[in-house]
Amino acid sequence: MVITAAVTDSKEQLYYTFASRYVRAPLPRFKMPENSMPKEAAYQIVNDELMLDGNPRLNLASFVTTWMEPECDKLMMDSINKNYVDMDEYPVTTELQNRCVNMIAHLFNAPVGDDETAIGVGTVGSSEAIMLAGLAFKRKWQAKRKAEGKPYDKPNIVTGANVQVCWEKFARYFEVELKEVKLKEGYYVMDPKEAVEMVDENTICVAAILGSTLTGEFENVKLLNELLTEKNKETGWNTPIHVDAASGGFIAPFLFPDLEWDFRLPLVKSINVSGHKYGLVYAGVGWVVWRSKEDLPEELVFHINYLGSDQPTFTLNFSKGSSQIIAQYYQFIRLGYEGYRNIMVNCMENAKVLKEGLEKTGRFDIVSKDVGVPLVAFSLKDSSRYTVFQVAECLRRFGWIVPAYTMPANAERIAVLRVVIREDFNFSLAERLVSDIEKVLKELDALPPRVSTKIDHKELEALPPRVSTKIDHVTAVANETEGIKPDNHHLREIASYWRRISNKKASGVC
């Protein structure tokens, strides 16, 4: 949900060119129109507005699937009117979800026998999955503390500072302290040793990430399990591990099958994964799987007598569509292990093409790792003339949506661009992107060098007070990694500029 902050002027109108052959009167922008209109006009109006959205295939910021086969598209459209929670009315859809849960549990090496049913649930994404897993950990910890006659009002979770924002949401919404292991330059994932040192008797779990959104890197879950096992023996706390495999859960089993990160490690009690990322389904499906029934407190499962049957449910939502669940099952049986592996290998090969192309320019440092999610994160070797943010902005002219961002606390000096390689990003697109990046760099090289915001205080004091104040303000908010030391000519240019504008009346709009 996005909380709107738009100015809702009731007098503001919408005017449309093509729709005017059907509707001549303008539409109110923020109020429902008084009258109906032809369906052709409504379609044209909405379609015209959506033309200004970015192209999903060129959105290299997102991990979310942007292409599926036409047969799967048809299955989704055929089931778009099915409400997933009506399990008695749509029992086959429920059965398909249960099959998906079991397939994922086996993929993650859960200790489930051939005649046993895995414990898990489909969600609207990994955010909800993490909320549910976090609640299970909190309730189990509280029950244990109550039984021991100890306080249970200050639970905490230990994570790295590279966690996705949904972990912060969980902590705030469900009153759990989030203890973050800070990152450091050159090491952009959680340090298992530091994480275990932060664990105390109030820690409900340690959350490890299989595929950091910053660099795609896998955290060392095996080492975390070993260190935490030793600490649990010393303290008797029995602190468990949750693995946030939103991005890497459908990568590691196919590309790095010998990597131990899942239920093969005894302390891993639950895992979430996003079906709408490398599970290859359109946005709106995630999964959370528990090691065993004992790891999901029964008190969190609701049994609802609704529309004719007992429905056990553990979810933060109620009504939701069935399409994504059905699409996930289609992908599992359509591709199988072989198909998923082929796609992930292809993604990695395309990431390698992009990485090598960027390295050949001699202008970038590659920050991402070879073992992880297929993405390429890279920073400018020289940011004195322009920044990665300017590169990202210029790439928009070619249609590419490439995010630029700074790393979290203790590593915020590093600013990077990141390209996520999905199934629909092919070899040709990788070559084209490198070519367009080279064009952008050439254009930026031709521009005058940026005036530094890093100004020596002695030089600043020599300027007129009003100019000094303005420059000091700019300096305070500047990114310190991006400046070059100015010479006196640059300072005179800045001073001259501020003198020209300081005597003019401000409009009141900044």
Side-chain angles (χ1 to χ4, degrees):
M1 170 183 174
V2 176
I3 301 176
T4 180
V7 178
T8 56
D9 185 350
S10 60
K11 296 181 181 179
E12 192 170 349
Q13 307 288 323
L14 295 177
Y15 296 88
Y16 293 91
T17 302
F18 300 111
S20 62
R21 68 179 60 189
Y22 304 107
V23 180
R24 298 184 60 85
L27 292 174
R29 186 183 294 269
F30 299 111
K31 287 187 176 181
M32 185 180 292
E34 292 293 329
N35 302 312
S36 303
M37 67 172 66
K39 60 182 184 294
E40 298 86 355
Y43 172 84
Q44 191 68 58
I45 287 171
V46 177
N47 185 66
D48 287 353
E49 291 225 60
L50 292 175
M51 286 173 60
L52 296 179
D53 267 349
N55 182 342
R57 292 282 301 276
L58 299 182
N59 178 9
L60 306 182
S62 178
F63 291 84
V64 176
T65 297
T66 52
W67 179 86
M68 296 181 71
E69 292 173 323
E71 291 79 5
C72 194
D73 289 345
K74 186 176 187 305
L75 278 175
M76 293 185 73
M77 290 305 300
D78 289 346
S79 58
I80 201 167
N81 57 353
K82 290 183 180 180
N83 188 354
Y84 170 75
V85 300
D86 294 342
M87 298 179 183
D88 197 50
E89 284 67 29
Y90 308 120
V92 176
T93 299
T94 302
E95 170 64 16
L96 296 187
Q97 187 231 218
N98 294 338
R99 293 179 191 175
C100 287
V101 167
N102 279 271
M103 289 179 183
I104 294 170
H106 285 289
L107 189 66
F108 295 166
N109 295 291
V112 180
D114 293 336
D115 58 344
E116 295 179 313
T117 301
I119 306 300
V121 65
T123 63
V124 294
S126 275
S127 292
E128 183 190 6
I130 285 168
M131 303 282 176
L132 298 180
L135 278 172
F137 282 119
K138 183 180 178 181
R139 289 299 178 89
K140 280 188 67 69
W141 174 83
Q142 287 178 326
K144 180 174 179 288
R145 298 284 288 182
K146 288 178 183 178
E148 295 172 347
K150 297 178 179 179
Y152 53 90
D153 59 334
K154 294 182 179 179
N156 69 65
I157 284 181
V158 175
T159 70
N162 55 320
V163 291
Q164 216 264 357
V165 69
C166 60
W167 283 99
E168 298 178 30
K169 286 184 178 181
F170 168 77
R172 187 179 303 179
Y173 294 168
F174 296 103
E175 298 180 316
V176 176
E177 179 189 1
L178 193 66
K179 299 172 69 173
E180 293 185 341
V181 178
K182 301 301 181 185
L183 308 185
K184 61 191 79 170
E185 288 188 28
Y187 193 81
Y188 305 114
V189 292
M190 179 180 70
D191 185 329
K193 294 180 181 178
E194 292 186 26
V196 173
E197 289 174 359
M198 296 177 69
V199 170
D200 59 32
E201 62 180 348
N202 293 319
T203 302
I204 63 176
C205 77
V206 180
I209 303 178
L210 194 78
S212 169
T213 57
L214 300 179
T215 63
E217 188 174 353
F218 293 164
E219 292 183 343
N220 193 336
V221 188
K222 184 177 181 180
L223 178 58
L224 176 64
N225 181 85
E226 292 171 355
L227 296 174
L228 195 54
T229 297
E230 291 300 316
K231 187 158 189 172
N232 285 339
K233 288 179 180 178
E234 296 171 2
T235 62
W237 293 337
N238 294 324
T239 306
I241 295 172
H242 173 84
V243 179
D244 179 357
S247 300
F250 286 119
I251 300 291
F254 305 107
L255 295 184
F256 312 105
D258 295 329
L259 183 68
E260 294 183 30
W261 63 273
D262 51 20
F263 292 119
R264 284 171 287 184
L265 304 175
L267 291 183
V268 174
K269 302 300 182 182
S270 55
I271 301 172
N272 68 276
V273 64
S274 291
H276 58 218
K277 293 182 180 176
Y278 289 98
L280 307 179
V281 178
Y282 290 141
V285 62
W287 304 91
V288 58
V289 180
W290 283 270
R291 183 183 197 88
S292 66
K293 187 176 181 180
E294 290 70 31
D295 296 307
L296 175 59
E298 177 63 28
E299 63 189 274
L300 292 175
V301 180
F302 283 81
H303 294 268
I304 301 172
N305 183 11
Y306 179 63
L307 298 181
S309 69
D310 174 66
Q311 299 179 15
T313 176
F314 180 35
T315 175
L316 297 180
N317 302 283
F318 195 64
S319 293
K320 66 177 181 180
S322 299
S323 297
Q324 276 75 10
I325 299 291
I326 293 169
Q328 185 73 84
Y329 184 69
Y330 168 90
Q331 294 287 48
F332 284 168
I333 65 170
R334 161 76 175 91
L335 297 171
Y337 188 95
E338 177 190 31
Y340 268 93
R341 187 180 187 282
N342 289 340
I343 289 172
M344 301 314 157
V345 167
N346 190 57
C347 288
M348 278 298 189
E349 290 177 349
N350 288 328
K352 184 179 179 181
V353 170
L354 178 59
K355 174 186 173 183
E356 291 175 349
L358 293 170
E359 288 176 328
K360 287 180 181 178
T361 68
R363 307 292 292 276
F364 299 103
D365 289 321
I366 305 300
V367 178
S368 50
K369 306 297 183 182
D370 292 333
V371 177
V373 176
L375 62 79
V376 183
F378 51 103
S379 61
L380 280 167
K381 288 184 176 181
D382 179 8
S383 297
S384 63
R385 295 178 63 86
Y386 44 84
T387 71
V388 293
F389 302 98
Q390 290 170 282
V391 175
E393 183 178 358
C394 291
L395 283 172
R396 285 271 189 161
R397 291 190 293 106
F398 297 93
W400 302 107
I401 303 173
V402 179
Y405 52 87
T406 57
M407 292 296 185
N410 288 14
E412 58 272 304
R413 284 197 332 107
I414 306 301
V416 302
L417 295 152
R418 187 198 68 198
V419 175
V420 176
I421 309 300
R422 300 187 302 270
E423 179 186 7
D424 56 355
F425 185 86
N426 58 33
F427 184 94
S428 297
L429 287 176
E431 290 186 320
R432 171 66 65 166
L433 177 58
V434 172
S435 174
D436 289 342
I437 289 175
E438 290 178 322
K439 292 176 185 176
V440 166
L441 295 178
K442 187 175 181 180
E443 292 173 1
L444 291 174
D445 285 338
L447 296 176
R450 296 185 304 121
V451 176
S452 172
T453 55
K454 293 177 69 178
I455 299 175
D456 185 86
H457 286 290
K458 291 182 179 178
E459 295 171 316
L460 187 62
E461 290 170 0
L463 297 172
R466 185 179 297 177
V467 178
S468 174
T469 301
K470 294 288 187 180
I471 295 175
D472 190 54
H473 171 70
V474 174
T475 303
V477 298
N479 185 335
E480 294 185 357
T481 67
E482 306 295 348
I484 57 174
K485 182 173 175 59
D487 54 27
N488 289 333
H489 174 69
H490 286 147
L491 290 172
R492 283 195 297 272
E493 284 185 341
I494 296 171
S496 174
Y497 171 76
W498 283 114
R499 287 193 188 99
R500 288 198 305 272
I501 68 171
S502 60
N503 291 326
K504 297 179 181 178
K505 286 188 176 180
S507 65
V509 178
C510 180

